[in-house]
Amino acid sequence: MYSATVSLDPAFVVGPVRRRTFGSFVEHLGRCVYTGIHDPGHPTADADGFRGDVIELTRELGVSTVRYPGGNFVSGYRWEDAVGPVEQRTPRLDLAWHSTEPNLVGVDEFMRWAARTGVEPMMAVNLGTRGVQEALDLLEYCNVPGGSFWADQRRANGAEDPYRIKMWCLGNEMDGPWQIGSKTPQEYGRLAAETARAMRMIDPGLELVVCGSSGSQMPTFGEWERVVLTEAYEHVDYVSAHAYYWEEDGDLASFLASVVDMDHFVESVAATADAVRAARKQTKRVHISFDEWNVWYQKRAESRPPSGDDWPVAPVLLEDRYNVADAVVVGNMLISLLRNTDRVHSASMAQLVNVIAPIMTEPGGRIWKQTIFHPFALTARHAAGEVLRLAIDSPVHETARFGEVAVLDAVATHDAESGDVVVFAVNRSLTEGVALDLDLRGFPGMRVAEAVTLSNPDHTWSATADDDTSVLPQPNTSAKVADDRVRAELPPVSWSMLRLVRE
């Protein structure tokens, strides 16, 4: 068994735990909306057709914000098609996912769902096939009280009060050749700047997200951020980052170490933003909205959209079935997001239901939690106060992709009001447990209130509608306190949480 030590002290703080770190994403893609959040024939459906059981699990998951309506979908979206009387709405082709969008759910329905679910909306505008004026029209519809064309249309459609949406995404992945209307960084940077400037003329208090790179593997990564921010820095608050990881060719060790790339991604984008800040002689900092992240097996058949004359409504797309190793990686990604809370001010796990999602549904039927549900829900529930800067002494092991990587990774939060300290940790070893030693001399007089571990000797186990409880986080009875130290054993390929409270 390996041995690792983690030292904590309340004086060493990274930054606050941000509730927006625990955001999610609802895109008109596959079965995320239709037969996902929206299923009028379901026994729990409300008057708008939204599933009550999905709303309940979204709350249990601890979701804070939800990005909408895309994603690649937004780059061809005409939002006006999905407002007003439902019976008068016209279906449209969705080129991004080779599907038909029936427009049964639009801005007004989504905003009612968000209000019932208790989440903050994060709206995206189409800068692929559209531009400044259409973004202004949508903002007017959503945020202006009345007395103008689009605001009065919203009121006529039943929403008397404005939605006052704060966070807006200026397009989606505009660096990607797969994106409808993709652009060079110069083209997009100028369009984003002009759109942001005009939107602030309507609502100066908006928080605006400019598109960063679609992944650290993009050939333009780094240069894209530099050029786009040089054009738009003064007018935006965040630059986006997107990252997906998956086990490839049986290389589990590299997959479990995916956060090495995620940390590098954050560090690189932050450095580039700060360089532009210096060159532009700006005082404010542009931070990161990591508004797409997850495990996604992109090469699987279910990730390929239909083709030819087949334009189905809500086809089965991107419905990955997650196993225990996937959940460990998701837990580690949350560790990374918290560890980088000084620069990552918002994040959105992609997506919420059915599409690379923690929640799965059957049309008109059952609902269940995937393995990745649990580390997200527990982290969202228990991370509070401030994120601590840890000193970690861990053995390393070799990986094919990243070289030597620490076996143990961890983050901790401290809530000064309650005194609680919560440690989140992963053991990335395939074969060896880790004897974890937490040095709590900076927090004397603590006891273990809760210790749980998610693991399984068969790390390929996945939840199903018939069984989503066989692999739940289990009590870790090895966690003990002695002389201001906590010792616990973490099995191979595992994610753990230890919650410590004052005696």
Side-chain angles (χ1 to χ4, degrees), residues 8-152:
L8 305 80
D9 192 291
F12 298 99
V13 173
V14 180
V17 175
R18 304 178 193 278
R19 299 321 305 170
R20 282 178 173 173
T21 300
F22 306 107
S24 189
F25 182 23
V26 167
E27 180 174 5
H28 288 251
L29 191 178
R31 296 195 312 112
C32 187
V33 174
Y34 305 112
T35 74
I37 66 170
H38 185 262
D39 193 354
H42 194 269
T44 69
D46 63 17
D48 282 316
F50 292 118
R51 286 180 63 147
D53 55 355
V54 171
I55 290 175
E56 289 176 7
L57 282 193
T58 302
R59 291 172 180 159
E60 183 181 339
L61 188 61
V63 171
S64 56
T65 63
V66 173
R67 182 169 170 246
Y68 177 85
N72 296 346
F73 171 81
V74 79
S75 291
Y77 186 45
R78 289 179 278 197
W79 66 269
E80 309 95 317
D81 292 340
V83 298
V86 173
E87 63 275 8
Q88 296 178 17
R89 299 181 190 178
T90 303
R92 297 283 190 182
L93 296 182
D94 168 23
L95 305 186
W97 301 106
H98 203 87
S99 307
T100 296
E101 169 53 50
N103 286 313
L104 302 177
V105 173
V107 172
D108 295 311
E109 288 83 9
F110 172 75
M111 291 304 296
R112 290 196 291 271
W113 177 85
R116 289 169 196 158
T117 309
V119 299
E120 177 188 4
M122 182 181 183
M123 190 68 70
V125 300
N126 176 359
L127 293 186
T129 60
R130 312 188 95 179
V132 178
Q133 185 58 62
E134 291 86 357
L136 292 176
D137 291 345
L138 178 56
L139 176 60
E140 178 187 327
Y141 186 89
C142 291
N143 283 18
V144 172
S148 64
F149 178 81
W150 285 114
D152 286 344

Side-chain angles (χ1 to χ4, degrees), residues 276-295:
V276 174
R277 173 178 179 257
R280 302 288 296 178
K281 299 177 175 59
Q282 292 291 305
T283 56
K284 76 167 187 179
R285 287 192 188 276
V286 168
H287 293 290
I288 296 169
S289 172
F290 219 119
D291 47 42
E292 285 189 35
W293 67 269
N294 202 347
V295 171

